[in-house]
DNA sequence: AGCACGCCGACT
DNA sequence: GTCGGCGTGCTC
């Protein structure tokens, strides 16, 4: 009787594995990493075997037996099992979350981890004789097929119909064959060398990266806009692929565009397998399996792809490493960038983190020597991104947010036939509705936050919780009917610019106007072609695309960041400013970027405008050091919410008391700051509080948090309070 | 989480 | 007397 116990991870908030008896017939074959169906509570669940062992802390009589083994071989290699284990421990997630929940839906449901067979057709010997001479199309199809095995897709692409295939099959002129996808795995990927002349910096970067293949190294590739980072990725990838390795490319949510994929597709003669959030369950399942089986040599994906199984993984590229979409913002708040670095470490392969505006965390690691720091400071093309100019708008008469000088400038660029982008990060017509007589502001009852006034369609929207209401006719306080809108949103700007620049109607690009990836891609394409001379855009237009005919970018206002409670606000503002500036201009048409600000003297704004991002980073890093913020200390935050404020306050007080002795005696390096309400204390009817833990020692912080989870979960009377831990938080608002 | 168990108030 | 409210406990 050896190894007759399986320790299984199940999707449940319980922070432990569950032990099951392995039926005799499965004992020789069951391995860690296989899925099993097990009886659980009053039903059945699919789980993942994490360990096969001979011992259990439970009496054997209490153990149930596995009902079904669902896999013939493990779903993951050892490294993938290890990274999931690490993820669970680091982010304080129950094992079931890390091992099971971070799988495609279909695999969670227990569907087989097998790609379906590929259906193809093949002409039979003398099949032609079975077709009458009148059936011209059928004969044409037969001719076209020749001796090859062809798929339905190929047949349709060649202009033949499914019906023709069916007819041929009925007359037995052709037959259907089923091919197993495993049979067509080719680890060889042909690379198309375009014979490009690279800048010295690019070539040097490629050499440094490829020199690190087959060992762990984190590499920060800091390259200014237009310095040719992508070409560096591609040539480094080529080297790894040539060694029959797989490559994982991680990009921000917004960065996974057809253009991005096209750049890879035209250089590598191999399917680029995509894993992103807009795939449906089947597509994600199939892509995942292709990665697992090694059929996919290149996987391009967003956050969740960081855990894609890749048996021959040899290189990880993570582009726009500063992008916040790599950090999951609900339930299990992992940061794919940090998971990717850990994965590279476990797998002993290099990882390239690329950005024009690296995060302070990665930059700090680079200057500390933990990461290899490569820089691309020259531009590959002649284009010089425009140097932003700050326009002081103190005491300026603004018209719907725009200064007169800016309007004149816009007119000049539009008259010259060029494109102008007005960047305003505020959807809707106006950010508030107000009573003209008494100053009452229309607020969402669930959030205590002002409603945004939208005009198309006409309604009030809470941007905190999504609540939509009709626009009030009367003041709720004094009864006056003079309700006015206050401030400027993209809709109001659109209305104003429409009448101000009649000949060039503006196109508004925001979430309300452009729905989904398809429409955005279409719009971006049109803009690149030079259509739509005047553009109004939010965040959506800030990233990823270069518009050659765009010669003027106006940034209406980024001053909010300067007063924000969010400790990363200024860092984000700087990144945004650099990105927005990078949209404009080309060699023959140099661009211009104007930033309106009430604080033109602000150091960071000035450094960004001098295009000295290195100086921005040093400045911000110094500020973080002075205040002992990350990366100089590690942070974790406990977020708690309840329907009554007293419950959350009580929860925080209780947690503080419970943990106090542990912090005093075991975790002296961990400091718990006093609990405080969230910046937006009430949201969607819930009252929210935060408790920040800080420490210079990651291990102690982690251990203290583990203790904290145990204490909270052992405590009764807290069921009304929802809470979660956020490790390395993006913000503490 | 999801579900059963059990202990109290207010109904036919 | 019982119907159902939710606070508590358990899941190998
Ligand atoms: Zn609201
Ligand atoms: Zn009023």
């Amino acid at each position: 009787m050896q190894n007759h116990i399986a320790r299984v991870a199940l999707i449940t908030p319980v922070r432990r594995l569950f032990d099951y008896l392995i039926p005799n017939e499965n004992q020789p074959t069951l391995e860690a990493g296989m899925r099993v169906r097990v009886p659980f509570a009053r039903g059945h669940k699919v789980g993942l075997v994490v360990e096969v062992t001979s011992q259990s802390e439970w009496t054997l009589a209490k153990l149930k037996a596995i009902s079904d083994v669902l896999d013939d071989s493990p779903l993951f290699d050892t490294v993938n099992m290890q990274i999931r284990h690490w993820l669970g421990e680091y982010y304080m997630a129950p094992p079931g979350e890390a091992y099971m929940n971070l799988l495609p839906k279909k695999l969670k449901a227990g569907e087989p981890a097998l790609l379906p067979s590929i259906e193809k057709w093949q002409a039979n010997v003398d099949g032609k004789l079975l077709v009458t001479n009148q059936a011209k199309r059928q004969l044409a199809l037969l001719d076209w097929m020749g001796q090859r095995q062809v798929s339905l897709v190929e047949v349709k692409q060649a202009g033949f119909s499914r019906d023709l295939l069916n007819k041929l099959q009925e007359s037995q002129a052709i037959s259907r064959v089923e091919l197993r996808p495993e049979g067509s795995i080719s680890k060889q990927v042909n690379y198309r060398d375009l014979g490009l002349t690279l800048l010295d910096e690019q070539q040097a970067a490629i050499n440094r990266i490829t020199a690190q293949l087959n060992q762990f190294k984190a590499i920060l590739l800091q390259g200014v806009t237009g310095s040719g980072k992508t070409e560096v990725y591609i040539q480094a990838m080529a080297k790894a692929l040539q060694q029959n390795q797989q490559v994982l490319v991680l990009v921000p949510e917004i960065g996974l565009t057809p253009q991005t994929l096209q750049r890879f597709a035209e250089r590598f003669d191999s399917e680029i397998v995509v894993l992103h959030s807009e795939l449906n369950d089947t597509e994600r399942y199939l892509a995942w399996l292709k990665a697992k089986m090694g059929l996919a040599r290149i996987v391009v994906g967003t956050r969740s792809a960081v855990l894609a199984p890749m048996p021959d993984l040899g290189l990880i590229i993570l582009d726009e490493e500063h992008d916040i979409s790599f950090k999951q913002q609900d339930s299990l708040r992992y940061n794919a960038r940090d998971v990717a670095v850990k994965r590279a470490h476990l797998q002993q392969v290099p990882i390239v983190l690329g950005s024009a505006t690296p995060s302070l965390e990665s930059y700090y690691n680079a200057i500390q020597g933990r990461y290899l720091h490569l820089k691309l400071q020259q531009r590959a093309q002649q284009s010089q991104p425009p140097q932003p100019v700050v326009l002081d708008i103190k005491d300026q008469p603004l018209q719907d947010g725009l200064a007169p000088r800016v309007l004149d400038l816009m007119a000049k660029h539009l008259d010259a036939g060029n494109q102008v982008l007005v960047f305003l990060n505020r959807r809707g017509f106006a950010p508030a509705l107000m009573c003209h007589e008494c100053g009452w502001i229309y607020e969402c009852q669930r959030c205590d936050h002002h409603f945004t006034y939208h005009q198309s369609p006409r309604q009030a929207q809470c941007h905190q919780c999504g609540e939509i209401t009709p626009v009030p006719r009367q003041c709720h306080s004094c009864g006056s009917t003079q309700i006015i809108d206050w401030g400027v949103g993209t809709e109001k700007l659109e209305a104003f610019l429409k009448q101000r620049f009649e000949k060039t109607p503006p196109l508004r690009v925001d979430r309300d106007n452009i729905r989904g990836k398809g429409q955005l891609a279409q719009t971006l394409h049109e803009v690149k072609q030079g259509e739509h001379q005047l553009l109004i855009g939010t965040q959506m237009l800030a990233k990823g695309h270069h518009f050659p005919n765009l010669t003027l970018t106006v940034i209406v206002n980024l001053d909010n960041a300067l007063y924000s409670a969010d400790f990363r606000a200024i860092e984000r503002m700087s990144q945004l400013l650099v990105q927005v500036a990078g949209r404009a201009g080309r060699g023959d048409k140099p661009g211009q970027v104007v930033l309106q600000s009430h604080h033109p003297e602000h150091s960071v704004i000035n450094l960004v405008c001098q295009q000295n991002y290195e100086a921005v980073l040093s400045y911000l890093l110094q500020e973080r050091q002075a205040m002992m913020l990350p990366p100089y200390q590690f942070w974790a935050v406990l977020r708690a919410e309840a329907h009554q404020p007293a419950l959350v306050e009580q929860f925080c007080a209780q947690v503080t008391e419970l943990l106090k002795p542990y912090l005093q005696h075991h975790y002296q390096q961990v400091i718990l700051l006093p609990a405080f309400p969230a910046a937006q204390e009430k949201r969607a009817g819930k009252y929210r509080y935060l408790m920040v833990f800080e420490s210079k020692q990651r291990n102690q912080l982690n251990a203290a948090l583990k203790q904290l989870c145990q204490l909270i979960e052992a405590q009764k009377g807290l069921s009304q309070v929802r809470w979660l831990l956020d490790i390395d938080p993006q913000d503490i608002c």
Side-chain angles (χ1 to χ4, degrees):
Chain A
M1 281 279 270
Q2 260 199 335
N3 292 346
H4 55 300
I5 310 276
R7 313 205 68 212
V8 179
L10 295 165
I11 301 177
T12 153
V14 185
R15 284 167 204 282
R16 75 179 103 100
L17 297 171
F18 292 86
D19 294 357
Y20 286 89
L21 296 169
I22 308 171
N24 284 333
E25 67 269 30
N26 292 317
Q27 282 182 22
T29 50
L30 190 71
E31 281 180 65
M34 294 182 183
R35 288 169 306 155
V36 287
R37 183 177 299 280
V38 291
F40 185 77
R42 278 150 293 276
H44 273 78
K45 269 184 187 291
V46 176
L48 191 105
V49 177
V50 173
E51 197 185 341
V52 176
T53 169
S54 58
Q55 299 198 340
S56 174
E57 291 169 19
W58 292 68
T59 56
L60 288 188
K62 283 200 170 176
L63 297 189
K64 295 180 184 174
I66 289 169
S67 321
D68 260 314
V69 175
L70 302 174
D71 294 307
D72 298 333
S73 63
L75 230 44
F76 311 121
D77 53 40
T78 326
V79 172
N80 208 308
M81 290 292 279
Q82 285 169 349
I83 190 68
R84 282 166 193 266
H85 176 254
W86 177 86
L87 191 147
E89 294 285 315
Y90 186 91
Y91 291 102
M92 300 286 140
E97 290 288 317
Y99 286 106
M100 274 300 290
N101 208 18
L102 294 175
L103 282 178
K105 247 209 189 82
K106 293 206 164 195
L107 289 170
K108 284 196 263 186
E111 299 223 11
L114 267 184
L115 284 170
S117 297
I118 302 162
E119 194 181 44
K120 291 208 174 188
W121 282 268
Q122 191 173 21
N124 291 337
V125 183
D126 290 335
K128 227 174 185 171
L129 306 176
L130 300 166
V131 183
T132 63
N133 276 335
Q134 285 98 311
K136 291 256 161 55
R137 288 298 288 160
Q138 291 184 41
L139 286 171
L141 175 50
L142 264 181
D143 272 344
W144 173 81
M145 283 171 74
Q147 301 299 311
R148 292 173 305 149
Q149 295 179 331
V150 297
S151 70
L152 179 60
V153 177
E154 289 168 319
V155 168
K156 283 191 172 163
Q157 268 168 10
F160 299 101
S161 70
R162 196 193 172 108
D163 284 350
L164 286 172
L165 267 185
N166 288 345
K167 288 233 177 68
L168 284 172
Q169 198 184 350
E170 272 167 37
S171 51
Q172 297 190 354
I174 61 172
S175 40
R176 219 184 71 141
V177 282
E178 280 200 0
L179 300 173
R180 288 302 308 152
E182 296 87 332
S184 60
I185 296 175
S186 161
K187 293 194 176 186
Q188 305 260 308
V189 175
N190 290 320
Y191 162 63
R192 232 180 100 211
D193 187 352
L194 298 180
L196 297 170
T197 315
L198 296 179
L199 296 168
D200 292 347
E201 284 179 336
Q202 281 179 301
Q203 191 57 59
I206 294 163
N207 296 346
R208 297 288 296 275
I209 295 167
T210 52
Q212 303 294 336
L213 289 176
N214 304 307
Q215 58 182 310
F216 169 66
K217 192 76 202 174
I219 302 156
L220 177 62
L221 180 63
Q222 186 180 348
V224 297
T225 313
S227 59
K229 279 195 297 293
T230 310
E231 189 58 32
V232 173
Y233 299 153
I234 286 174
Q235 298 205 18
M237 287 165 69
K239 223 18 187 283
L241 292 165
Q242 198 188 359
Q243 300 186 8
N244 291 347
Q245 295 176 326
Q246 287 171 292
V247 179
L248 175 60
V249 182
L250 297 167
V251 296
E253 207 68 61
I254 203 157
L256 222 171
T257 61
Q259 286 88 336
T260 310
L261 296 176
Q262 184 58 29
R263 283 212 59 183
F264 293 117
E266 64 194 19
R267 302 296 288 282
F268 299 110
D269 167 30
S270 167
E271 185 188 2
I272 312 291
V273 171
V274 181
L275 268 168
H276 64 76
S277 58
E278 287 200 357
L279 300 182
N280 66 33
D281 292 344
T282 306
E283 290 168 330
R284 182 172 298 110
Y285 165 76
L286 294 177
W288 200 93
L289 290 175
K290 282 181 186 171
K292 172 191 184 280
M293 291 168 46
L295 217 59
R297 307 313 295 174
I298 303 169
V299 175
V300 181
T302 54
R303 185 176 55 233
S304 65
V306 72
L307 293 177
M310 296 176 73
D312 306 323
L313 182 62
L315 174 66
I316 303 176
I317 309 272
L318 193 140
D319 193 27
E320 306 290 327
E321 68 87 29
H322 63 276
D323 196 281
I324 53 167
S325 76
F326 284 119
K327 169 106 189 184
Q328 175 127 57
Q329 279 304 359
D330 53 333
S331 59
L332 207 179
R333 299 188 161 219
Y334 69 94
N335 189 330
R337 186 236 293 149
D338 301 337
V339 178
V341 171
K342 185 66 191 181
R343 182 173 184 184
H345 178 73
L346 289 169
Q347 188 98 33
Q348 288 296 301
V349 301
I351 174 167
V352 181
L353 306 173
S355 176
T357 53
S359 63
L360 290 175
E361 280 78 5
S362 296
Y363 181 71
Y364 183 63
N365 278 324
I367 60 173
Q368 293 279 308
R370 277 189 291 273
Y371 291 0
L372 183 60
H373 198 181
L374 303 178
K375 294 181 197 172
L376 303 176
Q377 281 157 329
Q378 302 158 4
R379 284 161 219 288
Q381 293 104 31
Q382 295 298 314
S383 69
Q384 197 62 29
Q387 178 147 0
V389 176
V390 193
L391 180 72
D392 188 353
I393 50 170
K394 259 178 289 172
D395 311 318
Q396 287 268 317
L398 299 182
Q399 198 159 14
D400 288 318
L402 296 172
R405 279 177 59 194
V406 167
L407 288 167
D408 292 344
L409 195 60
M410 287 171 65
K412 239 171 77 187
H413 283 259
L414 290 170
D415 286 344
N418 294 325
Q419 280 175 319
V420 172
L421 164 63
V422 184
F423 181 83
L424 175 61
N425 220 352
R426 196 174 262 163
R427 294 187 298 125
F429 191 81
L433 284 162
M434 195 194 274
C435 168
H436 190 53
E437 291 188 30
C438 76
W440 168 82
I441 290 173
Y442 184 39
E443 283 184 344
C444 172
Q445 296 302 301
R446 303 172 67 208
C447 305
D448 292 342
H449 189 263
H450 56 256
F451 274 109
T452 298
Y453 172 44
H454 286 248
Q455 234 175 25
S456 55
R458 187 177 149 82
Q459 60 191 16
Q461 245 184 55
C462 173
H463 284 188
Q464 293 288 316
C465 71
E467 174 102 326
I468 292 170
T469 77
V471 178
R473 295 164 175 278
Q474 278 194 318
C475 170
H476 291 191
S477 173
C478 75
S480 160
T481 52
Q482 289 195 55
I483 303 292
I484 55 167
D485 57 79
W486 182 91
V488 186
T490 48
E491 288 182 4
K492 189 189 274 188
L493 198 55
E494 180 187 23
F496 166 59
L497 294 179
K498 201 169 177 175
Q499 53 98 8
R500 177 70 173 72
F501 299 105
E502 278 181 332
K503 280 180 239 154
T504 52
L507 173 71
R508 173 164 58 90
V509 184
D510 59 25
R511 195 143 51 82
D512 302 315
N513 212 22
I514 308 290
R515 322 156 80 86
K517 262 193 177 145
Q519 204 183 342
L520 179 62
Q522 172 64 25
T523 306
L524 290 171
H525 179 73
E526 289 170 11
V527 173
K528 278 194 173 184
Q529 300 299 308
E531 281 176 55
H532 314 294
Q533 254 189 285
L534 181 50
L535 301 156
I536 298 165
T538 57
Q539 206 93 8
M540 267 181 121
L541 262 185
K543 297 183 188 183
H545 284 266
H546 187 90
F547 305 127
N549 298 312
L550 179 68
T551 57
L552 174 65
T553 302
V554 176
I555 300 159
V556 180
N557 189 352
L558 288 180
D559 284 347
N560 294 341
L562 304 177
Y563 328 118
S564 172
D566 180 353
F567 73 102
R568 285 186 220 264
I570 297 185
E571 180 188 5
R572 289 211 197 104
M573 177 203 72
S574 315
Q575 292 164 346
L576 196 64
L577 199 47
V578 172
Q579 274 161 1
V580 172
R583 300 305 112 232
R586 200 164 50 184
D588 51 331
K589 278 187 184 177
Q592 212 173 345
V593 175
V594 178
L595 169 66
Q596 298 190 139
S597 174
H598 285 97
H599 302 275
E601 72 291 340
H602 194 282
S603 313
V604 173
I605 292 184
N606 278 292
L607 291 173
V608 175
C609 290
Q610 287 159 31
Q611 297 177 314
N612 188 350
Y613 205 76
E614 204 77 25
V616 174
L617 288 165
S618 314
Y619 180 95
L620 293 172
L621 214 45
Q622 256 174 45
E623 221 173 55
R624 296 270 185 98
Q625 184 169 29
M627 302 173 70
M628 284 314 277
L629 298 170
Y632 291 93
Q633 275 202 98
F634 302 118
W635 272 16
V637 48
L638 175 66
R639 298 172 189 272
E641 57 180 37
H643 282 102
Q644 282 116 42
L647 283 171
V648 210
E649 282 169 44
Q650 208 181 308
F651 173 88
C652 292
Q654 243 181 86
V655 168
T656 309
E657 273 313 301
L658 281 171
L659 202 61
K660 204 180 233 167
Y662 292 91
L663 295 184
Q664 263 165 17
H665 299 119
H666 304 286
Y667 314 114
Q668 283 134 346
Q669 301 292 314
V670 179
I671 298 161
L672 168 56
L673 305 181
F676 58 94
Q680 190 71 52
E681 182 179 352
K682 192 181 173 194
R683 176 128 121 206
K686 288 189 169 172
Y687 294 84
R688 306 148 64 224
Y689 268 71
L690 297 142
M691 294 172 75
V692 174
F693 295 81
E694 53 179 39
S695 179
K696 283 182 198 127
Q697 276 183 261
R698 176 70 76 185
N699 290 343
Q700 271 204 20
L701 180 62
N702 194 266
L705 295 175
K706 205 165 185 171
Q707 183 60 251
L708 172 81
C709 290
Q710 274 174 29
L711 288 169
I712 298 177
E713 279 159 6
Q715 193 69 19
K716 306 185 249 196
L718 300 180
S719 60
Q720 307 247 51
V721 180
R722 316 267 290 129
W723 61 277
L724 65 84
L725 273 173
D726 187 351
I727 316 294
D728 307 327
Q730 278 301 315
D731 57 70
I732 48 164
C733 293

